[in-house]
Amino acid sequence: MKSSLSTSIFRKRQWRRRLQNIRLISQATEDYLHDYSHSKPILTFEDAGLRPPLAQAIYTAFPNVKTPTEIQSSLISNVLEGKDVILQDETGSGKSFGLILALLNKPRMVFTDDLIADRASDRPAITSLVLVPHRDLAFQMLHWIDSITQASDINPPSLASIAQVLVREGRRHISEGLPLIRNEPPHILIATPASVVEVLQKDPNAFRLRELSTVVLDEVDYMIETLPLNHKPNKRHAHKMNQLRIHPGPARILLDQIYGDPSKLSAESRESLVDTYHRPQLILSSATIRRQLKHYFFSEKQLLNKNVAKLRRSVMRLHGQDELVTDELAIRSMISHHVLVASEANSRPMDTTSSPPIDSNAASRSIGTELAIRFFLLQIDGTIFSTEFSMTPSPLNQDLLEAVAAAFALDVPSVALLVIPPSASVHRAVYDLREMGVDALGMDLLVQDRGRSYLLQADKAHKANPKLLVCTSSSIRGVDFPSLTHVFILGYEALIAKDNWTLTLDTYIHLCGRVGRFKKPGKVITVVDDKAVPWIEKVLHTLDITPVQLNAFGLL
């Protein structure tokens, strides 16, 4: 794709001619660039409890990080005091980064093993286990730690001694991750729950869960599935509860292995264990911790009690009046929301079907009628794939992709994110978008130009050739791209979460949270077909969000 100015102008004109079949749900455009000022004074990292050498390494590694956010200050001090913590603040407030800083400051756990009479050996152990829902968030955290470690000394310690990642990539967590943990236990292990369960099944002595000092569940509501509290249970609800008991999921299994099940013990038994059983500190974090999840930890499993440090700031209310809500929420004050409705040239009457479209393949179609008759080698994101893409209809809705391509060409200055349904193929979406002239790449935080270079980096200057990173809605939670300005959501199917309305709303909140971080403005553009209009309107209405006109489409 050419990046010259003339080519860029030509493409913008070309896309403007192709906007005849795209409508906007909008009201008058509003100014979302409100000034923001902190209501409370912000302490330094040293004031929050970090050792001065660590604080200095942070300033060196990330020059844009000057002071901790309000939530980071409270979080770091409570973690270092050894308290259990339940942390809830809006996306972009620095929760995950603050957690990593606090864990780096904790003293290393070392145990003494008796080998033979009168001889002993000091054995370093894993101090903190950080559970995350997907690999990209794990590698983002590892990138932060690596940057801080390299800035800490002229001769820094090995990264493997400070932090390691354990995620399921084929069998690499068994073939490579397990031997490394055995030989060099890290201070911090960042892992997906499934990978830890499988490693411990392979070798129960790989590391000792009850020697952990701290256990963190970041994006906890994504890893611990819970059902809305139902005071009038029906057969469907009872069936789902039974399925959770039969298939609890790896995160629940791990918590039972680490903490046991206190709910099954008497009060006297729990009290007698205080002096004989080391209980790791438990930290839960997410922007969307709902009542049913709190019920699970406080009442059902009794893993938390009234002494937990409850750190809550800006929380998006969904139901009732008991949730904290504030006008400072970035999702309303710093993010503008837009909806594009893409349809065929001969538009049809809006379908008011009473149930949302669940199967994305059934809803999608192909606009291509002339197909190539040969196989070819296609290079996508630096990897060669033998593919039949050129001779098979795309399962992705081409009208929606063209709307994304048009808005991207007209409005994105540097880097944007396209979120597609979990069942869709990232490689296919990248191929289709490149056929439309978009510089699309599958997001991978291990590759420099596919996401890694945007981690905690300063705002980048406008580029003649902006990038569109493509990912699924299941692999984006918690990822922090400060230079990101736009998030595109491809279809309502990208939001549907396990046939659960609350989880669907939370999915939209988290996708929006990739922009508007640290009070920087951003845009969220949802592209849907006619059938999905009532459902995206319902999402926005429930969240009290009003979509506005996209300036790039002012000609309509």
Side-chain angles (χ1 to χ4, degrees), residues 242-315:
N242 189 52
Q243 288 298 109
L244 278 180
R245 283 189 288 268
I246 298 173
H247 306 289
R252 289 189 183 217
I253 292 172
L254 273 178
L255 288 177
D256 284 345
Q257 291 178 356
I258 296 170
Y259 296 99
D261 192 348
S263 65
K264 296 181 179 179
L265 299 176
S266 65
E268 293 79 9
S269 298
R270 284 196 296 271
E271 189 172 330
S272 67
L273 287 177
V274 172
D275 296 328
T276 59
Y277 169 61
H278 164 70
R279 181 188 181 281
Q281 176 187 29
L282 179 60
I283 302 173
L284 312 178
S285 174
S286 178
T288 49
I289 298 178
R290 303 304 176 193
R291 287 175 292 181
Q292 58 264 30
L293 188 64
K294 297 171 189 174
H295 180 270
Y296 174 80
F297 279 97
F298 283 93
S299 300
E300 184 178 339
K301 304 300 289 187
Q302 297 180 22
L303 295 177
L304 296 174
N305 57 41
K306 62 181 180 180
N307 296 319
V308 66
K310 299 177 182 178
L311 307 181
R312 302 180 71 208
R313 190 170 176 270
S314 300
V315 178

Coordinates of all heavy atoms in Angstrom, one line a residue, residues 242-315:
N242 N -26.0 -25.5 38.0 CA -25.5 -26.9 38.0 C -24.4 -27.1 37.1 O -23.4 -27.8 37.4 CB -26.7 -27.8 37.7 CG -26.3 -29.3 37.9 OD1 -25.8 -29.7 39.0 ND2 -26.5 -30.1 36.9
Q243 N -24.4 -26.4 35.9 CA -23.3 -26.5 34.9 C -22.0 -25.9 35.5 O -20.9 -26.4 35.3 CB -23.7 -25.8 33.6 CG -24.7 -26.6 32.8 CD -24.2 -27.9 32.4 OE1 -24.6 -28.9 32.9 NE2 -23.2 -27.9 31.5
L244 N -22.2 -24.8 36.3 CA -21.0 -24.2 36.9 C -20.4 -25.1 38.0 O -19.2 -25.1 38.1 CB -21.4 -22.8 37.5 CG -21.5 -21.6 36.6 CD1 -21.9 -20.4 37.4 CD2 -20.1 -21.4 35.9
R245 N -21.2 -25.8 38.7 CA -20.7 -26.7 39.7 C -20.0 -27.9 39.0 O -19.0 -28.4 39.5 CB -21.9 -27.2 40.6 CG -22.3 -26.2 41.6 CD -23.3 -26.9 42.6 NE -24.6 -27.1 42.0 CZ -25.6 -26.3 42.0 NH1 -25.4 -25.1 42.6 NH2 -26.7 -26.5 41.5
I246 N -20.5 -28.4 37.9 CA -19.9 -29.5 37.2 C -18.6 -29.0 36.5 O -17.6 -29.8 36.5 CB -20.9 -30.1 36.2 CG1 -22.1 -30.7 36.9 CG2 -20.2 -31.2 35.3 CD1 -23.2 -31.1 35.9
H247 N -18.7 -27.8 35.9 CA -17.5 -27.3 35.1 C -17.1 -26.0 35.7 O -17.5 -24.9 35.2 CB -17.9 -27.2 33.6 CG -18.4 -28.4 33.0 ND1 -17.6 -29.5 32.7 CD2 -19.6 -28.8 32.6 CE1 -18.3 -30.5 32.2 NE2 -19.5 -30.0 32.1
P248 N -16.4 -25.9 36.8 CA -16.2 -24.7 37.5 C -15.2 -23.7 36.8 O -15.2 -22.6 37.1 CB -15.6 -25.1 38.9 CG -15.0 -26.5 38.6 CD -15.9 -27.1 37.5
G249 N -14.4 -24.3 35.9 CA -13.4 -23.4 35.2 C -12.1 -23.4 36.0 O -12.0 -23.6 37.2
P250 N -11.0 -23.2 35.3 CA -9.6 -23.3 35.9 C -9.4 -22.3 37.0 O -8.7 -22.6 38.0 CB -8.7 -23.1 34.7 CG -9.5 -22.4 33.7 CD -10.9 -22.9 33.9
A251 N -9.9 -21.1 36.9 CA -9.7 -20.1 38.0 C -10.3 -20.5 39.3 O -9.7 -20.4 40.4 CB -10.2 -18.7 37.6
R252 N -11.5 -21.0 39.3 CA -12.2 -21.6 40.5 C -11.4 -22.7 41.0 O -11.2 -22.9 42.3 CB -13.6 -22.0 40.2 CG -14.6 -20.8 39.9 CD -16.0 -21.3 39.9 NE -16.9 -20.3 39.6 CZ -18.2 -20.2 40.1 NH1 -18.5 -21.1 41.0 NH2 -19.0 -19.3 39.7
I253 N -10.9 -23.6 40.2 CA -10.2 -24.8 40.6 C -8.9 -24.4 41.3 O -8.6 -24.9 42.4 CB -9.8 -25.7 39.4 CG1 -11.1 -26.3 38.8 CG2 -8.8 -26.8 39.8 CD1 -10.9 -27.1 37.5
L254 N -8.2 -23.4 40.8 CA -7.0 -22.9 41.4 C -7.2 -22.3 42.8 O -6.5 -22.5 43.7 CB -6.3 -21.9 40.5 CG -5.3 -22.4 39.4 CD1 -4.8 -21.3 38.6 CD2 -4.2 -23.2 40.1
L255 N -8.3 -21.5 42.9 CA -8.6 -20.8 44.2 C -8.9 -21.9 45.2 O -8.5 -21.8 46.4 CB -9.8 -19.9 44.0 CG -9.5 -18.6 43.3 CD1 -10.8 -17.8 43.1 CD2 -8.5 -17.8 44.0
D256 N -9.6 -23.0 44.8 CA -9.9 -24.0 45.8 C -8.6 -24.7 46.2 O -8.4 -25.1 47.4 CB -10.8 -25.1 45.2 CG -12.3 -24.6 45.2 OD1 -12.6 -23.6 45.9 OD2 -13.1 -25.2 44.4
Q257 N -7.6 -24.9 45.3 CA -6.3 -25.5 45.6 C -5.5 -24.6 46.5 O -4.8 -25.1 47.4 CB -5.6 -25.9 44.3 CG -6.2 -27.0 43.5 CD -5.4 -27.2 42.2 OE1 -4.5 -26.6 41.9 NE2 -5.9 -28.2 41.5
I258 N -5.6 -23.3 46.3 CA -4.7 -22.4 47.1 C -5.4 -22.2 48.5 O -4.7 -22.2 49.5 CB -4.6 -21.1 46.4 CG1 -3.8 -21.3 45.1 CG2 -3.8 -20.1 47.2 CD1 -3.8 -20.1 44.2
Y259 N -6.7 -21.9 48.5 CA -7.3 -21.5 49.8 C -8.2 -22.5 50.4 O -8.7 -22.3 51.5 CB -8.2 -20.2 49.5 CG -7.4 -19.0 49.1 CD1 -7.3 -18.7 47.7 CD2 -6.7 -18.2 50.0 CE1 -6.5 -17.6 47.3 CE2 -6.0 -17.1 49.6 CZ -5.9 -16.8 48.2 OH -5.1 -15.7 47.8
G260 N -8.4 -23.7 49.7 CA -9.3 -24.6 50.2 C -10.7 -24.1 50.1 O -11.0 -23.2 49.2
D261 N -11.7 -24.5 50.9 CA -13.0 -24.1 50.8 C -13.5 -23.7 52.2 O -14.1 -24.5 53.0 CB -14.0 -25.1 50.3 CG -15.4 -24.6 49.9 OD1 -15.6 -23.4 50.3 OD2 -16.1 -25.3 49.2
P262 N -13.2 -22.4 52.7 CA -13.5 -22.0 54.0 C -15.0 -22.1 54.3 O -15.4 -22.2 55.5 CB -13.1 -20.5 54.1 CG -12.0 -20.4 53.0 CD -12.5 -21.4 51.9
S263 N -15.9 -22.0 53.3 CA -17.3 -22.1 53.6 C -17.7 -23.4 54.1 O -18.8 -23.5 54.7 CB -18.1 -21.8 52.3 OG -17.8 -22.8 51.3
K264 N -16.9 -24.5 54.0 CA -17.3 -25.8 54.5 C -16.7 -26.0 55.9 O -16.9 -27.1 56.5 CB -16.7 -26.9 53.6 CG -17.4 -26.8 52.2 CD -16.8 -27.9 51.3 CE -17.5 -27.9 49.9 NZ -17.0 -28.9 49.0
L265 N -16.0 -25.0 56.5 CA -15.4 -25.2 57.8 C -16.3 -24.4 58.8 O -16.9 -23.4 58.5 CB -14.0 -24.6 57.8 CG -13.0 -25.2 56.9 CD1 -11.7 -24.5 57.0 CD2 -12.8 -26.7 57.2
S266 N -16.3 -24.9 60.0 CA -16.9 -24.2 61.1 C -16.1 -23.0 61.5 O -14.9 -22.9 61.2 CB -17.1 -25.2 62.3 OG -15.8 -25.5 62.8
A267 N -16.7 -22.1 62.3 CA -16.0 -20.9 62.7 C -14.8 -21.3 63.6 O -13.7 -20.7 63.5 CB -16.9 -20.0 63.5
E268 N -14.9 -22.3 64.4 CA -13.8 -22.8 65.3 C -12.7 -23.3 64.4 O -11.5 -23.1 64.7 CB -14.3 -23.8 66.3 CG -15.3 -23.3 67.3 CD -16.7 -23.2 66.7 OE1 -17.0 -23.6 65.6 OE2 -17.6 -22.6 67.4
S269 N -13.0 -24.1 63.4 CA -12.0 -24.7 62.5 C -11.2 -23.6 61.8 O -10.0 -23.6 61.6 CB -12.6 -25.7 61.5 OG -13.2 -26.7 62.2
R270 N -12.0 -22.6 61.3 CA -11.3 -21.5 60.6 C -10.4 -20.7 61.5 O -9.3 -20.4 61.1 CB -12.3 -20.5 60.0 CG -13.0 -21.1 58.7 CD -13.7 -20.0 58.0 NE -14.8 -19.4 58.8 CZ -16.1 -19.8 58.8 NH1 -16.4 -20.9 58.0 NH2 -17.0 -19.3 59.5
E271 N -10.8 -20.5 62.7 CA -9.9 -19.8 63.7 C -8.7 -20.6 64.1 O -7.6 -20.0 64.2 CB -10.8 -19.5 64.9 CG -10.1 -18.5 65.9 CD -11.0 -18.1 67.0 OE1 -12.2 -18.0 66.8 OE2 -10.5 -17.8 68.1
S272 N -8.8 -21.9 64.1 CA -7.7 -22.7 64.5 C -6.6 -22.8 63.4 O -5.5 -23.1 63.7 CB -8.2 -24.2 64.9 OG -8.6 -24.8 63.7
L273 N -7.0 -22.5 62.2 CA -6.1 -22.6 61.1 C -5.2 -21.3 61.0 O -4.2 -21.3 60.3 CB -6.8 -22.7 59.8 CG -7.5 -24.1 59.5 CD1 -8.2 -24.1 58.2 CD2 -6.4 -25.2 59.4
V274 N -5.6 -20.3 61.7 CA -4.9 -19.0 61.6 C -3.4 -19.1 61.9 O -2.5 -18.6 61.2 CB -5.5 -17.9 62.5 CG1 -4.7 -16.7 62.5 CG2 -6.9 -17.6 62.0
D275 N -3.1 -19.9 62.9 CA -1.7 -20.0 63.4 C -0.9 -21.1 62.7 O 0.3 -21.2 62.8 CB -1.7 -20.3 64.9 CG -2.2 -19.1 65.7 OD1 -2.1 -18.0 65.2 OD2 -2.8 -19.4 66.8
T276 N -1.6 -22.0 62.0 CA -0.9 -23.1 61.3 C -0.9 -23.1 59.8 O -0.2 -23.8 59.2 CB -1.6 -24.4 61.8 OG1 -3.0 -24.4 61.4 CG2 -1.6 -24.6 63.3
Y277 N -1.7 -22.2 59.2 CA -1.8 -22.2 57.8 C -1.6 -20.8 57.2 O -2.2 -19.9 57.6 CB -3.3 -22.7 57.4 CG -3.6 -22.5 55.9 CD1 -2.9 -23.1 54.9 CD2 -4.7 -21.7 55.6 CE1 -3.2 -23.0 53.6 CE2 -5.0 -21.5 54.3 CZ -4.3 -22.2 53.3 OH -4.6 -22.0 52.0
H278 N -0.6 -20.8 56.3 CA -0.3 -19.5 55.7 C -1.3 -19.3 54.6 O -1.5 -20.1 53.7 CB 1.1 -19.6 55.1 CG 1.4 -18.5 54.1 ND1 1.5 -17.2 54.4 CD2 1.5 -18.6 52.7 CE1 1.7 -16.4 53.3 NE2 1.7 -17.3 52.2
R279 N -2.0 -18.1 54.7 CA -3.0 -17.8 53.7 C -2.5 -16.6 52.8 O -2.2 -15.5 53.3 CB -4.3 -17.4 54.4 CG -5.4 -17.0 53.4 CD -6.6 -16.4 54.2 NE -7.7 -16.1 53.3 CZ -7.7 -15.0 52.5 NH1 -6.7 -14.1 52.5 NH2 -8.7 -14.7 51.7
P280 N -2.3 -16.9 51.5 CA -1.8 -15.8 50.6 C -2.8 -14.6 50.6 O -4.0 -14.8 50.6 CB -1.7 -16.5 49.3 CG -1.6 -17.9 49.5 CD -2.5 -18.1 50.8
Q281 N -2.2 -13.4 50.5 CA -3.0 -12.2 50.2 C -3.7 -12.4 48.9 O -3.2 -12.9 47.9 CB -2.0 -11.1 50.2 CG -2.6 -9.7 49.8 CD -1.5 -8.6 49.6 OE1 -0.4 -9.0 49.2 NE2 -1.8 -7.4 49.9
L282 N -5.0 -11.9 48.9 CA -5.9 -12.1 47.7 C -6.2 -10.7 47.2 O -6.7 -9.9 47.9 CB -7.1 -12.9 48.0 CG -8.1 -13.1 46.9 CD1 -7.5 -13.9 45.7 CD2 -9.3 -13.9 47.4
I283 N -6.0 -10.5 45.9 CA -6.3 -9.2 45.3 C -7.2 -9.4 44.0 O -6.8 -10.2 43.1 CB -5.0 -8.4 44.8 CG1 -4.1 -8.2 46.1 CG2 -5.3 -7.1 44.2 CD1 -2.8 -7.7 45.7
L284 N -8.3 -8.8 44.0 CA -9.2 -8.9 42.8 C -9.3 -7.5 42.2 O -9.4 -6.5 42.8 CB -10.6 -9.3 43.3 CG -10.7 -10.5 44.2 CD1 -12.2 -10.7 44.6 CD2 -10.1 -11.7 43.6
S285 N -9.3 -7.5 40.8 CA -9.3 -6.2 40.1 C -10.1 -6.3 38.9 O -10.0 -7.3 38.1 CB -7.8 -5.8 39.8 OG -7.8 -4.6 39.0
S286 N -10.9 -5.3 38.6 CA -11.6 -5.2 37.3 C -12.4 -3.9 37.4 O -12.7 -3.3 38.4 CB -12.6 -6.3 37.1 OG -13.3 -6.1 35.9
A287 N -12.8 -3.4 36.2 CA -13.6 -2.2 36.1 C -15.1 -2.6 36.3 O -15.9 -1.8 36.6 CB -13.5 -1.5 34.8
T288 N -15.4 -3.9 36.2 CA -16.8 -4.4 36.3 C -16.9 -5.5 37.2 O -17.1 -6.7 36.8 CB -17.3 -4.8 34.9 OG1 -16.3 -5.6 34.3 CG2 -17.4 -3.5 34.0
I289 N -16.9 -5.3 38.5 CA -17.1 -6.3 39.5 C -18.5 -6.1 40.0 O -18.9 -5.2 40.7 CB -16.1 -6.1 40.7 CG1 -14.7 -6.3 40.2 CG2 -16.4 -7.1 41.8 CD1 -13.6 -6.2 41.3
R290 N -19.4 -7.0 39.6 CA -20.8 -6.9 39.9 C -21.2 -7.7 41.2 O -20.4 -8.4 41.7 CB -21.6 -7.5 38.7 CG -21.3 -6.8 37.4 CD -21.5 -5.3 37.4 NE -21.2 -4.6 36.2 CZ -21.0 -3.3 36.0 NH1 -21.2 -2.5 37.1 NH2 -20.7 -2.8 34.9
R291 N -22.4 -7.5 41.6 CA -22.9 -8.0 42.9 C -22.7 -9.5 43.0 O -22.4 -10.0 44.0 CB -24.3 -7.5 43.1 CG -24.5 -6.1 43.4 CD -25.9 -5.6 43.5 NE -26.6 -5.7 42.2 CZ -27.9 -5.4 42.1 NH1 -28.6 -5.0 43.1 NH2 -28.4 -5.4 40.8
Q292 N -23.0 -10.2 41.9 CA -23.0 -11.7 42.0 C -21.5 -12.2 42.2 O -21.3 -13.2 42.9 CB -23.5 -12.3 40.7 CG -22.9 -11.9 39.4 CD -23.6 -10.8 38.7 OE1 -24.2 -9.9 39.4 NE2 -23.6 -10.7 37.4
L293 N -20.5 -11.4 41.7 CA -19.2 -11.8 41.9 C -18.7 -11.5 43.4 O -18.0 -12.3 44.0 CB -18.2 -11.1 40.9 CG -16.8 -11.5 40.9 CD1 -16.7 -13.0 40.5 CD2 -15.9 -10.6 40.0
K294 N -19.2 -10.4 43.9 CA -18.9 -10.1 45.3 C -19.6 -11.2 46.2 O -19.0 -11.6 47.2 CB -19.4 -8.7 45.7 CG -18.7 -7.6 44.9 CD -19.4 -6.3 45.1 CE -18.9 -5.2 44.2 NZ -19.7 -3.9 44.3
H295 N -20.8 -11.6 45.9 CA -21.5 -12.6 46.6 C -20.7 -13.9 46.6 O -20.6 -14.6 47.6 CB -22.9 -12.8 46.0 CG -23.7 -13.9 46.7 ND1 -23.6 -15.2 46.4 CD2 -24.5 -13.8 47.8 CE1 -24.4 -15.9 47.2 NE2 -25.0 -15.1 48.0
Y296 N -20.1 -14.2 45.5 CA -19.3 -15.5 45.4 C -18.1 -15.4 46.3 O -17.8 -16.4 47.0 CB -18.8 -15.6 43.9 CG -17.8 -16.8 43.7 CD1 -18.3 -18.1 43.6 CD2 -16.4 -16.6 43.7 CE1 -17.4 -19.2 43.4 CE2 -15.6 -17.6 43.5 CZ -16.0 -18.9 43.4 OH -15.2 -20.0 43.2
F297 N -17.4 -14.3 46.4 CA -16.1 -14.3 47.2 C -16.5 -14.0 48.7 O -15.8 -14.6 49.5 CB -15.2 -13.2 46.7 CG -14.4 -13.6 45.5 CD1 -14.8 -13.3 44.2 CD2 -13.2 -14.3 45.7 CE1 -14.0 -13.7 43.1 CE2 -12.5 -14.7 44.6 CZ -12.9 -14.4 43.3
F298 N -17.5 -13.2 49.0 CA -17.8 -12.9 50.4 C -18.7 -14.0 51.0 O -18.4 -14.3 52.2 CB -18.4 -11.5 50.5 CG -17.5 -10.4 50.3 CD1 -17.3 -9.8 49.1 CD2 -16.8 -9.9 51.4 CE1 -16.4 -8.7 49.0 CE2 -15.9 -8.8 51.3 CZ -15.7 -8.2 50.1
S299 N -19.7 -14.4 50.3 CA -20.7 -15.3 51.0 C -20.5 -16.8 50.6 O -20.4 -17.6 51.4 CB -22.1 -14.8 50.6 OG -22.3 -13.5 51.1
E300 N -20.5 -17.0 49.3 CA -20.5 -18.4 48.8 C -19.2 -19.1 49.2 O -19.2 -20.2 49.7 CB -20.7 -18.4 47.3 CG -20.9 -19.8 46.7 CD -21.1 -19.8 45.2 OE1 -21.6 -18.8 44.7 OE2 -20.9 -20.9 44.6
K301 N -18.1 -18.5 48.9 CA -16.8 -19.1 49.2 C -16.1 -18.6 50.4 O -15.2 -19.2 51.0 CB -15.8 -19.0 48.0 CG -16.3 -19.5 46.7 CD -16.6 -21.0 46.7 CE -15.4 -21.8 46.7 NZ -15.7 -23.3 46.6
Q302 N -16.5 -17.4 50.9 CA -16.0 -16.8 52.1 C -14.5 -16.6 52.0 O -13.7 -16.8 53.0 CB -16.4 -17.7 53.4 CG -17.9 -17.7 53.6 CD -18.3 -18.5 54.8 OE1 -17.5 -18.7 55.7 NE2 -19.5 -19.0 54.8
L303 N -14.0 -16.2 50.9 CA -12.6 -16.0 50.7 C -12.2 -14.5 51.1 O -11.0 -14.2 51.3 CB -12.2 -16.2 49.2 CG -12.3 -17.6 48.8 CD1 -12.0 -17.7 47.3 CD2 -11.4 -18.6 49.6
L304 N -13.2 -13.7 51.2 CA -13.0 -12.3 51.7 C -14.0 -12.0 52.8 O -15.0 -12.6 52.9 CB -13.3 -11.3 50.5 CG -12.3 -11.4 49.3 CD1 -12.8 -10.4 48.2 CD2 -10.9 -11.0 49.7
N305 N -13.6 -11.1 53.7 CA -14.4 -10.7 54.8 C -14.4 -9.2 54.9 O -13.9 -8.4 54.1 CB -13.9 -11.4 56.1 CG -12.5 -11.0 56.4 OD1 -12.0 -9.9 56.2 ND2 -11.7 -12.0 56.9
K306 N -15.0 -8.7 56.0 CA -15.2 -7.2 56.2 C -13.9 -6.5 56.3 O -13.9 -5.3 56.2 CB -16.1 -7.0 57.4 CG -15.4 -7.5 58.7 CD -16.4 -7.2 59.9 CE -15.7 -7.7 61.2 NZ -16.6 -7.4 62.4
N307 N -12.8 -7.2 56.6 CA -11.5 -6.5 56.7 C -10.8 -6.2 55.4 O -9.7 -5.6 55.3 CB -10.6 -7.3 57.6 CG -11.1 -7.5 59.0 OD1 -11.6 -6.5 59.6 ND2 -11.0 -8.7 59.6
V308 N -11.4 -6.6 54.3 CA -10.8 -6.4 53.0 C -10.8 -4.9 52.7 O -11.7 -4.2 53.1 CB -11.6 -7.2 51.9 CG1 -13.0 -6.6 51.7 CG2 -10.9 -7.1 50.5
A309 N -9.7 -4.5 52.0 CA -9.6 -3.1 51.5 C -10.4 -2.9 50.2 O -10.1 -3.5 49.2 CB -8.2 -2.7 51.3
K310 N -11.5 -2.2 50.3 CA -12.4 -2.0 49.2 C -12.0 -0.7 48.5 O -12.3 0.4 49.0 CB -13.9 -2.0 49.6 CG -14.3 -3.3 50.2 CD -15.8 -3.2 50.7 CE -16.2 -4.5 51.3 NZ -17.6 -4.4 51.8
L311 N -11.4 -0.7 47.4 CA -10.9 0.5 46.7 C -11.8 0.6 45.4 O -11.7 -0.1 44.5 CB -9.5 0.3 46.2 CG -8.5 -0.1 47.3 CD1 -7.1 -0.1 46.8 CD2 -8.5 0.9 48.5
R312 N -12.7 1.6 45.5 CA -13.7 1.9 44.5 C -13.6 3.4 44.2 O -13.6 4.2 45.0 CB -15.1 1.5 44.9 CG -15.2 0.0 45.3 CD -16.7 -0.3 45.6 NE -17.5 -0.2 44.5 CZ -18.8 0.1 44.6 NH1 -19.4 0.5 45.7 NH2 -19.6 0.0 43.5
R313 N -13.7 3.7 42.9 CA -13.7 5.1 42.5 C -14.8 5.3 41.5 O -15.9 5.4 41.8 CB -12.3 5.5 42.0 CG -12.2 7.0 41.8 CD -10.7 7.5 41.5 NE -10.6 8.9 41.2 CZ -10.8 9.4 40.0 NH1 -10.9 8.6 39.0 NH2 -10.7 10.7 39.8
S314 N -14.5 5.3 40.2 CA -15.5 5.6 39.1 C -16.0 4.2 38.7 O -15.3 3.4 38.1 CB -14.9 6.3 38.0 OG -14.4 7.6 38.4
V315 N -17.3 4.0 38.9 CA -17.9 2.7 38.6 C -19.1 2.9 37.7 O -20.0 3.8 38.1 CB -18.3 1.9 39.9 CG1 -18.9 0.6 39.5 CG2 -17.0 1.7 40.7

